[in-house]
Amino acid sequence: MNWIGRSLPRLEDPALLKGGGSYVADRISGAAAVRFVRSPIARGTILAIEIPPGATVFTGRDLPEVKPIRPILHRPDYVAIGQPVLPVDRISFSGQAVAVVVADDPALAEDIADAVFVDIDTTDAIVDLDLALVSGAEAVHPEAPSNVLVEGRMKTAGFDAAFAAAAEIVTLELRSHRQSAAPMEARAGLATYDAATGRVTLTASVQMPHMLRTGIADTLGIVEADLRVIAPDVGGGFGQKMSLFPEYVVLVWLARKLKRSVAWIEDRRENFLASAHGRDQAFTVRGAFSQEGRLLGLDADLRANVGAFSCYPVTCGVEPLMAFAELPGPYAFAEYGARSRGVATNTCMMAPYRGVSRPMLTFTMERLMEVAAKRLNIDSVEIRRRNLIETFPHRSPTGLLYDQGSYRQAMEVAVDTIDLPAFRLRQAAMRRQGRYLGVGLSVFSERTGYGTPAYAARGMEIVPGYEIVDCTMDPSGHVVLRIGSSPHGQGLKTSLAQLVSDELGIDPHTIRIVSGDTDATPYGWGTFASRSMVIAGGASKLAAGKIAVKLKVIAAQLMDADPDNITLDSGWARVANSNKAMEIGALARAAYHQSHRFAELSPGLHENAVYDPGGTFSNACHVAIVEVDIETGGVTIERFLVVEDAGVLINPMIVDGQIAGGVAQGIANALFEEMIYDEAGNLLTASFADYLPPTAAEMPDIEIVHMETVSPESVTRAKGVGEGGAIGAPAAVINAVVDALSPFGIEMFEMPATPQRIRDQLRRAGAPVHA
């Protein structure tokens, strides 16, 4: 019986659906309430902080021994910026925590925080990405006079010749505005002090508990053994909860200082103001095409607004350097020149958000293909057909090695499934009725499951990548799997249980996955970047495989057989071509209680494994069909198709859920979500009244077709899939909007395509739009 490939209901869900989940806010009873006082000014100098009499309030001057958070890249073009956990003098963005209040209850803490007066000498803020790069612009940090914190450059040898030979050069200016990951559960932390040991336990809504422990210990100057970090049930992360934030350092400092438990539950306004944002990128690209539509070369100027500080541990290089390396995407061309910069501004810090730069770079390449097709009078499917990678392994101009994929095949399946000729007939008929329908494609790759070599290539001082898994089968035959990955809603525990079940021949319900506790799990890097199924899955498979070998040796000895003739299946060890069989539970008991009989084996059944792969690429084609109301500028998504190739699907239902969630966030990127600052650096989108995630009413049914390319680069034969939906959807939706508005000659290169932006374009095109 195989468990891989089954849509097994998630083992995590019964507790969550019955109210048995445990989040940080469920655990704070008895703890003092913490509230942060935040700067209302984006840029200035603290002159004084007035504290109400009798209140327990701490400022940066009370924490002189605490180091700033300072992530490091070992690159000559990187400027390290230290982020004070509470600033003593300089304010760098609106919403920055400048003091912390401790009180007996949250309401009192909030009242005290409101009474704290922060006197700030205000100076003009640097908010806009491109204005920050203007010669003579004020510097956000004196360490970076140009406001550039990291910069990558490259140019291939044949770049100039490719552009000289081009029949058509397409130049585009593209923009993706700022977003919030907006997890359902905002940030939260509970720091408990153990008077007997002086140890602190931080229970926090985070994605990387081991990394958080390292960062806090380094910042406070304590040993890691004095701090335990627990990530309980987490209500969404999407990258926002990867980073080390000052608030968590302050919580641990307070617990040690006050020798009591303290808790902080972030509200939505704080989350928008001070949790990490995503996107806010501006790209200028030039594509050199032959007369036949072949992309000969690409020239790119990539700018990423990284906010006021660099995120720990991945640094502010994560967005611009990923864009720099992965812009070529699924297309085969040789010549590439690029300059990519991470630019500081007086805005909230950026951190990885689902897909990182890839929604923007996919948007860029897919808009480039559409515009080139029009200029060269080539069908938009045909121009992709002529440029997609078809030979594997493929080496990109930036040196990335692509393993086997199905880029062109996925697109052909998508085009056939959507029945493009039939849609064109319907589109024409609807236009005659004054209705504007459009179809858009997006073809892309998703680099997933990459280990330490990829991160080391970026020059990171802290190099994540590998995963360690401890696997134990107890004397009853049940298994405990301890993982460094820290899932937060992906269904990873179910998928890992299915993998291990097939290795050991046992039921997934007899496997317990332990995660998110630095005292109970091996050091690991958490869950992000579509990595866990490939890397934690690989380590789990390898560890379980070692136990399977021991079980077969034990079974062979007890049943007088050859280990090579033993199979493990459905809870039994069976000897091939005989009626001999033993329950696996009996073998496990023998491993512990009759260990003297197996001299060649160590007692018990405990193994661990490390997996550190080079990485693999999944791929997909998204197709959107939309209708645009030219009176309101509103966009309705009529149909959305995903053709996805993520290798072997361990649990197809969970994969489908990952894709659907990602598509929802991609549609939000394309049409709805935007964090807006005014010129003074004040955030104008401070609640869900202004910031608009799509609801069920805006979401179409998502059709998913799976393909399966098995790659030798993954021991599980699975590829990552967690971010793909968010990567491909924006480009497909915008291309569809442009196709719908093609009678007006409108092109769009900016996300989100809000009703206001669409109406502005229609007015400029002379369309009959009322004011």
Side-chain angles (χ1 to χ4, degrees):
M1 175 183 292
N2 292 326
W3 289 97
I4 292 175
R6 293 189 185 191
S7 290
L8 181 69
R10 299 188 347 156
L11 305 178
E12 300 92 330
D13 285 351
L16 298 174
L17 293 173
K18 295 175 183 176
S22 178
Y23 298 84
V24 175
D26 296 320
R27 302 180 177 208
I28 62 172
S29 177
V34 168
R35 187 76 181 174
F36 288 93
V37 179
R38 299 187 180 278
S39 171
I41 303 299
R43 187 165 185 243
T45 302
I46 298 173
L47 301 177
I49 299 178
E50 297 177 12
I51 298 170
T56 303
V57 180
F58 300 96
T59 71
R61 297 193 183 281
D62 298 309
L63 290 75
E65 76 282 7
V66 179
K67 301 173 188 172
I69 299 168
R70 189 188 298 272
I72 298 295
L73 280 181
H74 293 292
R75 298 172 56 101
D77 51 41
Y78 175 73
V79 181
I81 300 295
Q83 180 180 14
V85 296
L86 295 175
V88 172
D89 47 18
R90 197 169 75 227
I91 297 295
S92 297
F93 70 97
S94 174
Q96 184 175 8
V98 295
V100 60
V101 175
V102 183
D104 289 337
D105 63 73
L108 180 58
E110 188 159 353
D111 287 345
I112 295 171
D114 287 344
V116 174
F117 176 68
V118 185
D119 188 6
I120 301 173
D121 181 18
T122 305
T123 49
D124 290 341
I126 309 299
V127 179
D128 181 78
L129 167 63
D130 285 325
L131 291 179
L133 291 171
V134 171
S135 177
E138 291 287 330
V140 174
H141 300 287
E143 302 95 320
S146 67
N147 290 320
V148 176
L149 299 187
V150 64
E151 179 171 353
R153 287 174 182 259
M154 72 166 291
K155 185 177 177 181
T156 55
F159 175 85
D160 292 332
F163 273 78
E168 185 74 34
I169 294 177
V170 178
T171 301
L172 304 181
E173 299 273 354
L174 304 106
R175 184 69 191 256
S176 179
H177 291 282
R178 180 176 291 239
Q179 286 183 269
S180 167
M184 186 178 297
E185 181 196 27
R187 294 179 297 168
L190 164 68
T192 57
Y193 179 77
D194 183 352
T197 63
R199 201 167 184 243
V200 172
T201 296
L202 175 66
T203 303
S205 184
V206 297
Q207 294 177 234
M208 302 174 72
H210 286 277
M211 196 65 259
L212 192 71
R213 184 183 67 175
T214 296
I216 293 173
D218 287 352
T219 306
L220 294 179
I222 63 175
V223 297
E224 292 200 35
D226 284 344
L227 178 61
R228 176 187 185 186
V229 175
I230 297 173
D233 288 322
V234 174
F238 312 115
Q240 189 186 79
K241 295 177 179 174
M242 281 178 61
S243 300
L244 170 61
F245 291 97
E247 289 88 346
Y248 292 133
V249 179
V250 173
L251 281 181
V252 176
W253 181 88
L254 285 171
R256 289 167 60 87
K257 172 78 173 177
L258 303 175
K259 294 183 171 40
R260 64 175 299 188
S261 298
V262 294
W264 166 62
I265 306 296
E266 184 182 56
D267 62 28
R268 185 58 59 186
R269 180 172 177 273
E270 279 187 297
N271 184 262
F272 280 168
L273 277 171
S275 288
H277 295 170
R279 316 293 190 243
D280 201 352
Q281 295 172 309
F283 291 2
T284 303
V285 297
R286 294 188 308 136
F289 288 85
S290 71
Q291 192 62 50
E292 296 74 31
R294 299 239 178 235
L295 181 58
L296 306 175
L298 184 67
D299 182 25
D301 178 15
L302 314 173
R303 289 102 63 204
N305 187 340
V306 300
F309 295 108
S310 193
C311 56
Y312 178 103
V314 295
T315 81
C316 65
V318 62
E319 293 274 359
L321 296 182
M322 180 176 282
F324 179 74
E326 300 188 23
L327 182 61
Y331 295 108
F333 61 93
E335 307 305 335
Y336 181 56
R339 180 188 191 191
S340 187
R341 290 170 283 179
V343 182
T345 60
N346 294 115
T347 59
C348 180
M349 177 184 80
M350 291 290 185
Y353 171 43
R354 197 172 191 174
V356 193
S357 280
R358 290 166 292 186
M360 178 58 170
L361 63 87
T362 299
F363 175 54
T364 300
M365 295 303 292
E366 294 307 287
R367 293 298 298 129
L368 183 69
M369 287 295 160
E370 291 285 330
V371 174
K374 289 176 184 172
R375 295 261 190 96
L376 295 164
N377 197 28
I378 299 171
D379 177 79
S380 63
V381 174
E382 179 59 30
I383 197 170
R384 290 178 171 87
R385 199 173 277 139
R386 294 177 187 179
N387 285 289
L388 287 168
I389 300 167
E390 290 198 84
T391 304
F392 301 95
H394 169 80
R395 181 77 69 178
S396 80
T398 60
L400 298 181
L401 189 65
Y402 290 55
D403 59 341
Q404 285 82 352
S406 57
Y407 301 90
R408 179 169 168 177
Q409 297 93 325
M411 183 186 71
E412 302 292 1
V413 169
V415 171
D416 288 345
T417 303
I418 212 78
D419 194 354
L420 204 50
F423 170 77
R424 292 298 184 199
L425 292 175
R426 186 163 72 93
Q427 180 186 44
M430 297 295 276
R431 280 182 184 167
R432 288 191 290 272
Q433 300 174 26
R435 295 177 61 182
Y436 295 89
L437 273 63
V439 63
L441 269 70
S442 169
V443 186
F444 63 96
S445 59
E446 180 186 3
R447 191 184 185 195
T448 71
Y450 39 97
T452 55
Y455 292 102
R458 297 181 189 173
M460 296 175 65
E461 180 169 86
I462 297 173
V463 180
Y466 62 84
E467 283 296 335
I468 306 170
V469 165
D470 291 339
C471 185
T472 301
M473 179 177 279
D474 66 26
S476 69
H478 286 227
V479 167
V480 175
L481 198 70
R482 300 177 187 275
I483 63 173
S485 282
S486 186
H488 43 278
Q490 298 92 338
L492 178 64
K493 291 183 177 181
T494 303
S495 299
L496 293 181
Q498 290 178 257
L499 266 176
V500 170
S501 292
D502 276 7
E503 289 297 312
L504 297 176
I506 60 175
D507 190 292
H509 297 86
T510 64
I511 298 170
R512 186 163 66 90
I513 313 292
V514 178
S515 66
D517 184 341
T518 57
D519 272 9
T521 59
Y523 202 95
W525 298 99
T527 299
F528 61 94
S530 306
R531 66 187 298 273
S532 289
M533 198 62 253
V534 176
I535 306 179
S540 298
K541 178 181 172 67
L542 295 173
K546 293 179 182 178
I547 289 181
V549 169
K550 293 180 79 170
L551 287 171
K552 290 179 180 179
V553 170
I554 293 169
Q557 185 160 330
L558 294 178
M559 292 189 285
D560 192 23
D562 188 318
D564 291 340
N565 290 331
I566 303 291
T567 59
L568 305 175
D569 185 39
S570 302
W572 290 83
R574 304 180 193 278
V575 180
N577 303 317
S578 81
N579 60 358
K580 294 180 180 179
M582 287 187 70
E583 284 188 304
I584 289 175
L587 301 178
R589 184 167 290 273
Y592 286 92
H593 298 167
Q594 299 288 314
S595 61
H596 63 284
R597 299 174 64 180
F598 317 111
E600 70 274 29
L601 301 179
S602 58
L605 294 169
H606 172 78
E607 297 289 344
N608 66 24
V610 180
Y611 190 48
D612 186 12
T616 180
F617 285 79
S618 57
N619 65 271
C621 179
H622 289 193
V623 184
I625 292 179
V626 307
E627 180 172 3
V628 181
D629 183 330
I630 65 167
E631 282 293 333
T632 67
V635 176
T636 302
I637 300 176
E638 180 186 275
R639 188 176 180 187
F640 201 100
L641 170 69
V642 175
V643 178
E644 174 81 32
D645 189 342
V648 171
L649 306 184
I650 306 302
N651 185 316
M653 179 184 69
I654 289 176
V655 171
D656 287 354
Q658 287 282 305
I659 292 171
V663 168
Q665 288 181 303
I667 289 172
N669 193 173
L671 298 176
F672 298 108
E673 295 180 357
E674 181 176 359
M675 305 294 283
I676 300 173
Y677 283 96
D678 67 13
E679 292 181 353
N682 299 304
L683 187 66
L684 304 181
T685 38
S687 76
F688 283 131
D690 308 308
Y691 189 76
L692 304 175
T695 69
E698 287 80 43
M699 285 297 299
D701 290 335
I702 299 168
E703 303 168 50
I704 301 173
V705 176
H706 292 292
M707 300 180 70
E708 182 180 298
T709 299
V710 176
S711 169
E713 302 301 323
S714 166
V715 298
T716 64
R717 300 183 298 156
K719 300 180 176 184
V721 73
E723 298 182 299
I727 292 170
V733 171
I734 300 292
N735 279 340
V737 170
V738 171
D739 183 54
L741 300 178
S742 57
F744 304 102
I746 288 173
E747 296 285 356
M748 300 200 75
F749 303 104
E750 186 175 15
M751 297 190 292
T754 60
Q756 182 178 358
R757 291 192 173 109
I758 289 173
R759 281 167 57 84
D760 286 346
Q761 289 263 25
L762 285 164
R763 285 193 195 96
R764 284 196 288 271
V769 179
H770 295 111

